[in-house]
Amino acid sequence: MSAPDMGGTVVIKWGGGLITEKSQLCTINQTVVDSLADVCSKSDKRLVIVHGAGSYGHLKSKEFRLAEGNIESLDQDSAVSEVRSDMLKLNGIVLESLRNKGIDARSYPPHTWANGVGATFKGKLPLHDGVTVVYGDVVDDTSTDFGILSGDDLMYRYATEIPGVERAIFAIGEVDGILRVPPSRASSEDLIEVWSPDMEFEGEHASAIDVTGGIGLKAQRGAMIAEKGIDVIIVNGEYPQRVLDAIHGKSVVGTKIVSGNC
Ligand code: IP8
């Protein structure tokens, strides 16, 4: 696959809660990873895949308070290198699965090129002619020594800064999109099909596990992407056909995010 034969570019997040067992340290959902890789092999788009961390990143980062940066009284050095190495393992599994499907994928670990956290992190976004893969990572930070750069921030920057992006997709686990009430209380009626920042929802954020922002951060970054005129959709990544249809811009069960200005 080379760039000129491909359609436009689609930036897609494989959520950490989708591709890993979130509460069990370093446990992969291999079937889901392989089905997402299969979907990608069936698309003619130029893809940028941003994957989350799930149980390869959040549990240890939470324990050693890595999202707060360097804390004098804590020895966090080994945790920083362990989370980076766990994330490289997860990334290796993703890459192997993509390559097994015949995809020319190349990965760029953010701790090697990005500095700072949040939507304004610094670093030139790497791009491969085939499928580009990046992920949420522990990165250096000029003011706090290190911090957690979420894949949702990478989504925002890739979707709005690289040329020819047609749409941005957040594939998540367990739910069909943004729900009006937490998943434990929701029925199919509670799916918000079109969401804009002026609408409220009772998002559930597993803050005991998650060091980044859960569904709320996805919604916020999604709205920032939509504001720049790029279509944004959140889909349930456990349904491969929905993900494939979303990549091709077909209408699917999920939440379309529109900017508050529409
Ligand atoms: O799961 C978090 O990335 P996210 C990265 O995309 C780490 O928010 C290392 C916890």
Side-chain angles (χ1 to χ4, degrees):
M1 274 197 288
S2 66
D5 317 323
M6 296 173 129
T9 298
V10 173
V11 184
I12 179 164
K13 174 129 192 237
W14 295 7
L18 170 66
I19 61 170
T20 78
E21 216 47 73
K22 240 186 150 176
S23 53
Q24 275 172 286
L25 190 65
C26 298
T27 308
I28 194 78
N29 282 337
Q30 189 70 52
T31 317
V32 175
V33 171
D34 291 342
S35 77
L36 291 169
D38 190 54
V39 160
C40 292
S41 74
K42 290 183 176 138
S43 128
D44 62 351
K45 302 292 179 189
R46 184 187 207 203
L47 296 175
V48 172
I49 298 171
V50 179
H51 68 78
S55 58
Y56 287 71
H58 288 272
L59 298 171
K60 266 186 211 161
S61 299
K62 182 86 192 171
E63 188 183 345
F64 291 91
R65 297 169 61 183
L66 302 189
E68 296 169 54
N70 188 355
I71 298 168
E72 286 293 311
S73 55
L74 278 186
D75 182 8
Q76 298 162 299
D77 291 354
S78 33
V80 168
S81 21
E82 277 170 35
V83 174
R84 282 181 177 159
S85 129
D86 290 346
M87 285 308 299
L88 281 168
K89 279 186 207 137
L90 173 59
N91 182 246
I93 297 171
V94 167
L95 270 192
E96 191 188 349
S97 181
L98 290 166
R99 288 177 179 154
N100 284 344
K101 302 286 177 194
I103 295 172
D104 168 23
R106 183 156 173 204
S107 162
Y108 302 90
H111 68 262
T112 64
W113 59 269
N115 188 296
V117 301
T120 56
F121 71 86
K122 297 200 169 46
K124 185 173 180 321
L125 307 179
L127 257 189
H128 176 49
D129 273 350
V131 171
T132 302
V133 183
V134 292
Y135 54 89
D137 201 2
V138 186
V139 297
D140 290 345
D141 184 294
T142 318
S143 51
T144 57
D145 290 353
F146 55 81
I148 304 286
L149 177 61
S150 171
D152 296 334
D153 292 310
L154 290 158
M155 283 293 289
Y156 168 65
R157 297 286 297 277
Y158 269 92
T160 58
E161 288 178 21
I162 63 169
V165 174
E166 288 179 351
R167 65 193 62 84
I169 300 165
F170 290 84
I172 59 177
E174 287 169 19
V175 287
D176 288 346
I178 301 180
L179 307 175
R180 283 183 190 88
V181 294
S184 47
R185 286 197 269 125
S187 73
S188 58
E189 313 278 278
D190 291 310
L191 175 68
I192 301 178
E193 288 175 348
V194 180
W195 182 83
S196 69
D198 49 15
M199 290 168 72
E200 290 191 7
F201 68 94
E202 244 185 274
E204 203 169 60
H205 177 204
S207 50
I209 296 183
D210 210 335
V211 293
T212 51
I215 191 78
L217 183 63
K218 280 168 198 46
Q220 260 178 37
R221 293 295 175 262
M224 286 163 70
I225 297 170
E227 207 160 291
K228 305 244 167 134
I230 311 252
D231 284 345
V232 182
I233 183 131
I234 301 186
V235 290
N236 187 334
E238 286 155 18
Y239 294 85
Q241 191 60 43
R242 290 187 194 171
V243 181
L244 187 60
D245 286 347
I247 289 175
H248 291 141
K250 295 185 187 158
S251 109
V252 287
V253 176
T255 299
K256 183 178 160 58
I257 298 187
V258 295
S259 78
N261 306 328
C262 293

